[in-house]
Structures are given as C-alpha cells and as structure tokens.
Amino acid sequence: MDSTAVLDLFRQSGALLEGHFRLTSGLHSERYLQSALVLQYPDLAARLGDAIGEQTRHLQPTVVLSPALGGIVIGQEVGRALGVRAIFAERQDGRLTLRRGFAVGPSDRVLVVEDVLTTGGSTRETIDVAREAGAQIVGASSIIDRGSDASRVGVPFFSLVRMEVPTYEAAGCPLCAKGVPVVKPGSRTDH
Ligand SMILES: [Zn+2]
C-alpha cells in the first residue's frame, strides 16, 4: 500500500481532517490526525498491519511490542501479519513497563510498533523496555511519521507515510490571518 492509499483510508474514516483546527494543546493546525478513527475498522486496521508487515518482515522479528494505548491495535495487526506474538508495554507510576505476564528475553527479536511517531519519545522508551529485558531490537515502525528525522529512534525505522503537521500559535497562524473560521476537531458542525 503506497502512502496515497494509506492517507485515503485515513481521510475516508475521518482520521485525517484538513481545514483549520484548534487542537487540544490550543495550537492551530491545518491538519487533524486521530488514528483511532481508522483503526476502529478492523478491516482497515488489518490492511495497515499487512502493509507494515511487508515493510518489516526482512527484519525477522519474533515479537511485536507496542506502547499502550495508541500502539495496541496496530501492533496486534502487525503481529498477525508477521505470524508472531504481539504484546504491549503500559505505564505504571509514569514509566512504561511490561505487565500481565508479558515478557521478552535474549532470544527475542523485537519490532516496536506505534500508530503515529511524533517526537519518537514513546518508541524510544518502548525500545528501552525491551533492551532492559535483554532482548534484541531489530527495528521500529509506525503508520505515520510526523517528524523529520527518523534516525531519532536509534534503530532501523519504517513508516507507511511521512507527513509533517505544522502547528501555530493563534497569533502567528496563517489561516487565522486569512480569516478562515477555526474548528475544534471532534465537535460536530452543521452542514
Ligand atoms: Zn488559526
């Protein structure tokens, strides 16, 4: 699946909106991304998981590890595509950790999978969880890479789409300057 096809799935499911938005942070953007809205459709989640599986199969992972919550659904689908375990790390006292009996060890080749990579912070933290458990990290992947430098995760990194999402303070927002009405995503507007 090429990046255009991936973005079409996001647009069709309302997971990618284009316009003029006021984000939860208060910043303005011309794009709004909410990957849970595409992943809510299991058939679409499976197609995205297959696509990431194709990109990463050569790494020969033996387990997929994702950060909760955002990475769980796509991690499950990548695990299914690759025919390997899919587990997740979750926060306990502010720190990502393996719970529920999930474990990795020296014989595991771990692929870290997230839905959207922004700063890379949660992927790096997830890599550290596996590394501290003694596992090998063979790579990391996300559906969308919002950043500009994938080397920041420190392992081979793959994404289906690279997409910058610039944000602006209201005072410096070019869309505000043009007088385009601003919308809060998630709120229904009348048509
Ligand atoms: Zn604005």
Side-chain angles (χ1 to χ4, degrees):
M1 194 170 6
D2 65 14
S3 60
T4 306
V6 173
L7 287 177
D8 281 347
L9 295 189
F10 270 71
R11 285 195 187 94
Q12 285 160 20
S13 57
L16 174 62
L17 302 179
E18 280 149 323
H20 181 196
F21 304 100
R22 185 187 300 113
L23 308 177
T24 316
S25 60
L27 296 174
H28 291 200
S29 180
E30 54 208 46
R31 284 177 171 160
Y32 173 69
L33 189 63
Q34 178 46 272
S35 60
L37 291 177
V38 64
L39 296 171
Q40 72 180 313
Y41 300 106
D43 56 329
L44 303 188
R47 288 172 61 187
L48 294 168
D50 285 343
I52 292 178
E54 280 172 30
Q55 275 190 328
T56 57
R57 193 177 307 275
H58 69 283
L59 301 169
Q60 299 182 293
T62 59
V63 59
V64 169
L65 174 62
S66 299
L69 284 165
I72 292 179
V73 173
I74 188 63
Q76 179 79 17
E77 292 299 336
V78 174
R80 190 207 306 272
L82 293 172
V84 302
R85 283 193 296 150
I87 63 176
F88 55 88
E90 58 200 301
R91 288 199 188 279
Q92 187 174 31
D93 302 326
R95 198 163 179 275
L96 274 185
T97 181
L98 294 176
R99 304 181 67 188
R100 304 167 196 270
F102 289 152
V104 292
S107 62
D108 286 309
R109 298 171 57 83
V110 175
L111 175 68
V112 171
V113 174
E114 243 198 310
D115 56 345
V116 177
L117 191 87
T118 304
T119 64
S122 59
T123 281
R124 278 196 302 274
E125 206 181 335
T126 308
I127 288 170
D128 288 343
V129 168
R131 204 165 263 157
E132 282 165 23
Q136 309 170 61
I137 320 300
V138 295
S141 184
S142 69
I143 307 169
I144 293 185
D145 175 10
R146 286 183 49 173
S148 53
D149 179 15
S151 68
R152 65 201 180 280
V153 301
V155 298
F157 178 78
F158 301 85
S159 66
L160 299 180
V161 179
R162 250 182 79 173
M163 182 177 70
E164 306 270 347
V165 184
T167 54
Y168 313 99
E169 300 285 351
C173 174
L175 296 164
C176 283
K178 279 190 248 170
V180 180
V182 66
V183 174
K184 187 171 175 291
S187 56
R188 292 262 169 198
T189 51
D190 294 323
H191 294 286

PDB file of all heavy atoms in Angstrom, residues 20-21 28-29 168-170 173-177 180 182, ligand 1:
ATOM      1  N   HIS A  20      -8.905  23.950   9.247  1.00  0.00           N
ATOM      2  CA  HIS A  20      -8.290  24.899  10.183  1.00  0.00           C
ATOM      3  C   HIS A  20      -8.778  24.529  11.577  1.00  0.00           C
ATOM      4  O   HIS A  20      -9.955  24.688  11.873  1.00  0.00           O
ATOM      5  CB  HIS A  20      -8.730  26.330   9.790  1.00  0.00           C
ATOM      6  CG  HIS A  20      -8.142  27.398  10.654  1.00  0.00           C
ATOM      7  ND1 HIS A  20      -8.650  28.673  10.683  1.00  0.00           N
ATOM      8  CD2 HIS A  20      -7.091  27.389  11.512  1.00  0.00           C
ATOM      9  CE1 HIS A  20      -7.937  29.411  11.521  1.00  0.00           C
ATOM     10  NE2 HIS A  20      -6.995  28.653  12.036  1.00  0.00           N
ATOM     11  N   PHE A  21      -7.891  23.975  12.360  1.00  0.00           N
ATOM     12  CA  PHE A  21      -8.303  23.363  13.629  1.00  0.00           C
ATOM     13  C   PHE A  21      -7.610  23.988  14.829  1.00  0.00           C
ATOM     14  O   PHE A  21      -6.441  24.368  14.755  1.00  0.00           O
ATOM     15  CB  PHE A  21      -7.999  21.861  13.602  1.00  0.00           C
ATOM     16  CG  PHE A  21      -8.634  21.174  12.439  1.00  0.00           C
ATOM     17  CD1 PHE A  21      -7.900  20.875  11.301  1.00  0.00           C
ATOM     18  CD2 PHE A  21      -9.986  20.881  12.458  1.00  0.00           C
ATOM     19  CE1 PHE A  21      -8.499  20.277  10.203  1.00  0.00           C
ATOM     20  CE2 PHE A  21     -10.597  20.290  11.370  1.00  0.00           C
ATOM     21  CZ  PHE A  21      -9.854  19.976  10.239  1.00  0.00           C
ATOM     22  N   HIS A  28      -2.984  25.975  16.645  1.00  0.00           N
ATOM     23  CA  HIS A  28      -3.776  25.824  15.418  1.00  0.00           C
ATOM     24  C   HIS A  28      -2.999  24.988  14.397  1.00  0.00           C
ATOM     25  O   HIS A  28      -1.775  24.996  14.383  1.00  0.00           O
ATOM     26  CB  HIS A  28      -4.081  27.198  14.809  1.00  0.00           C
ATOM     27  CG  HIS A  28      -5.032  28.012  15.623  1.00  0.00           C
ATOM     28  ND1 HIS A  28      -5.746  29.068  15.123  1.00  0.00           N
ATOM     29  CD2 HIS A  28      -5.393  27.906  16.927  1.00  0.00           C
ATOM     30  CE1 HIS A  28      -6.503  29.592  16.083  1.00  0.00           C
ATOM     31  NE2 HIS A  28      -6.297  28.905  17.189  1.00  0.00           N
ATOM     32  N   SER A  29      -3.747  24.256  13.563  1.00  0.00           N
ATOM     33  CA  SER A  29      -3.113  23.449  12.522  1.00  0.00           C
ATOM     34  C   SER A  29      -4.059  23.315  11.344  1.00  0.00           C
ATOM     35  O   SER A  29      -5.277  23.438  11.503  1.00  0.00           O
ATOM     36  CB  SER A  29      -2.754  22.064  13.066  1.00  0.00           C
ATOM     37  OG  SER A  29      -2.130  21.295  12.048  1.00  0.00           O
ATOM     38  N   TYR A 168       0.670  26.108  14.846  1.00  0.00           N
ATOM     39  CA  TYR A 168       0.945  27.540  15.013  1.00  0.00           C
ATOM     40  C   TYR A 168       0.279  28.058  16.275  1.00  0.00           C
ATOM     41  O   TYR A 168      -0.825  27.618  16.617  1.00  0.00           O
ATOM     42  CB  TYR A 168       0.374  28.340  13.841  1.00  0.00           C
ATOM     43  CG  TYR A 168       0.686  27.784  12.481  1.00  0.00           C
ATOM     44  CD1 TYR A 168      -0.248  27.004  11.798  1.00  0.00           C
ATOM     45  CD2 TYR A 168       1.915  28.045  11.875  1.00  0.00           C
ATOM     46  CE1 TYR A 168       0.039  26.492  10.542  1.00  0.00           C
ATOM     47  CE2 TYR A 168       2.206  27.527  10.616  1.00  0.00           C
ATOM     48  CZ  TYR A 168       1.265  26.754   9.943  1.00  0.00           C
ATOM     49  OH  TYR A 168       1.546  26.244   8.719  1.00  0.00           O
ATOM     50  N   GLU A 169       0.922  29.034  16.918  1.00  0.00           N
ATOM     51  CA  GLU A 169       0.229  29.847  17.919  1.00  0.00           C
ATOM     52  C   GLU A 169      -0.836  30.637  17.169  1.00  0.00           C
ATOM     53  O   GLU A 169      -0.621  31.028  16.016  1.00  0.00           O
ATOM     54  CB  GLU A 169       1.203  30.832  18.575  1.00  0.00           C
ATOM     55  CG  GLU A 169       2.397  30.207  19.298  1.00  0.00           C
ATOM     56  CD  GLU A 169       2.012  29.582  20.641  1.00  0.00           C
ATOM     57  OE1 GLU A 169       0.858  29.789  21.089  1.00  0.00           O
ATOM     58  OE2 GLU A 169       2.854  28.879  21.221  1.00  0.00           O
ATOM     59  N   ALA A 170      -1.982  30.859  17.837  1.00  0.00           N
ATOM     60  CA  ALA A 170      -3.071  31.572  17.159  1.00  0.00           C
ATOM     61  C   ALA A 170      -2.584  32.900  16.568  1.00  0.00           C
ATOM     62  O   ALA A 170      -2.949  33.259  15.437  1.00  0.00           O
ATOM     63  CB  ALA A 170      -4.214  31.822  18.133  1.00  0.00           C
ATOM     64  N   CYS A 173      -0.867  32.307  13.243  1.00  0.00           N
ATOM     65  CA  CYS A 173      -1.479  31.293  12.375  1.00  0.00           C
ATOM     66  C   CYS A 173      -1.837  31.896  11.008  1.00  0.00           C
ATOM     67  O   CYS A 173      -2.607  32.847  10.930  1.00  0.00           O
ATOM     68  CB  CYS A 173      -2.725  30.734  13.049  1.00  0.00           C
ATOM     69  SG  CYS A 173      -3.668  29.610  12.003  1.00  0.00           S
ATOM     70  N   PRO A 174      -1.300  31.325   9.910  1.00  0.00           N
ATOM     71  CA  PRO A 174      -1.574  31.888   8.589  1.00  0.00           C
ATOM     72  C   PRO A 174      -3.048  31.758   8.184  1.00  0.00           C
ATOM     73  O   PRO A 174      -3.555  32.579   7.419  1.00  0.00           O
ATOM     74  CB  PRO A 174      -0.675  31.070   7.648  1.00  0.00           C
ATOM     75  CG  PRO A 174      -0.288  29.848   8.401  1.00  0.00           C
ATOM     76  CD  PRO A 174      -0.354  30.191   9.858  1.00  0.00           C
ATOM     77  N   LEU A 175      -3.729  30.719   8.712  1.00  0.00           N
ATOM     78  CA  LEU A 175      -5.149  30.542   8.368  1.00  0.00           C
ATOM     79  C   LEU A 175      -6.009  31.586   9.075  1.00  0.00           C
ATOM     80  O   LEU A 175      -6.960  32.117   8.502  1.00  0.00           O
ATOM     81  CB  LEU A 175      -5.604  29.122   8.720  1.00  0.00           C
ATOM     82  CG  LEU A 175      -4.889  28.030   7.911  1.00  0.00           C
ATOM     83  CD1 LEU A 175      -5.071  26.667   8.560  1.00  0.00           C
ATOM     84  CD2 LEU A 175      -5.398  28.000   6.473  1.00  0.00           C
ATOM     85  N   CYS A 176      -5.659  31.881  10.336  1.00  0.00           N
ATOM     86  CA  CYS A 176      -6.345  32.965  11.046  1.00  0.00           C
ATOM     87  C   CYS A 176      -6.136  34.280  10.290  1.00  0.00           C
ATOM     88  O   CYS A 176      -7.064  35.067  10.119  1.00  0.00           O
ATOM     89  CB  CYS A 176      -5.821  33.110  12.477  1.00  0.00           C
ATOM     90  SG  CYS A 176      -6.441  31.860  13.619  1.00  0.00           S
ATOM     91  N   ALA A 177      -4.904  34.480   9.825  1.00  0.00           N
ATOM     92  CA  ALA A 177      -4.586  35.724   9.113  1.00  0.00           C
ATOM     93  C   ALA A 177      -5.439  35.876   7.864  1.00  0.00           C
ATOM     94  O   ALA A 177      -5.770  36.976   7.455  1.00  0.00           O
ATOM     95  CB  ALA A 177      -3.101  35.749   8.763  1.00  0.00           C
ATOM     96  N   VAL A 180      -9.907  32.400   7.856  1.00  0.00           N
ATOM     97  CA  VAL A 180     -10.592  31.098   7.761  1.00  0.00           C
ATOM     98  C   VAL A 180     -11.149  30.733   9.144  1.00  0.00           C
ATOM     99  O   VAL A 180     -10.407  30.779  10.127  1.00  0.00           O
ATOM    100  CB  VAL A 180      -9.608  29.999   7.288  1.00  0.00           C
ATOM    101  CG1 VAL A 180     -10.305  28.650   7.194  1.00  0.00           C
ATOM    102  CG2 VAL A 180      -8.967  30.381   5.961  1.00  0.00           C
ATOM    103  N   VAL A 182     -12.040  28.844  12.466  1.00  0.00           N
ATOM    104  CA  VAL A 182     -11.331  27.749  13.131  1.00  0.00           C
ATOM    105  C   VAL A 182     -12.329  26.792  13.768  1.00  0.00           C
ATOM    106  O   VAL A 182     -13.366  27.209  14.282  1.00  0.00           O
ATOM    107  CB  VAL A 182     -10.307  28.304  14.147  1.00  0.00           C
ATOM    108  CG1 VAL A 182     -10.967  29.013  15.320  1.00  0.00           C
ATOM    109  CG2 VAL A 182      -9.373  27.192  14.652  1.00  0.00           C
TER     110      VAL A 182
HETATM  111 ZN    ZN B   1      -5.613  29.648  13.178  1.00  0.00          ZN
END
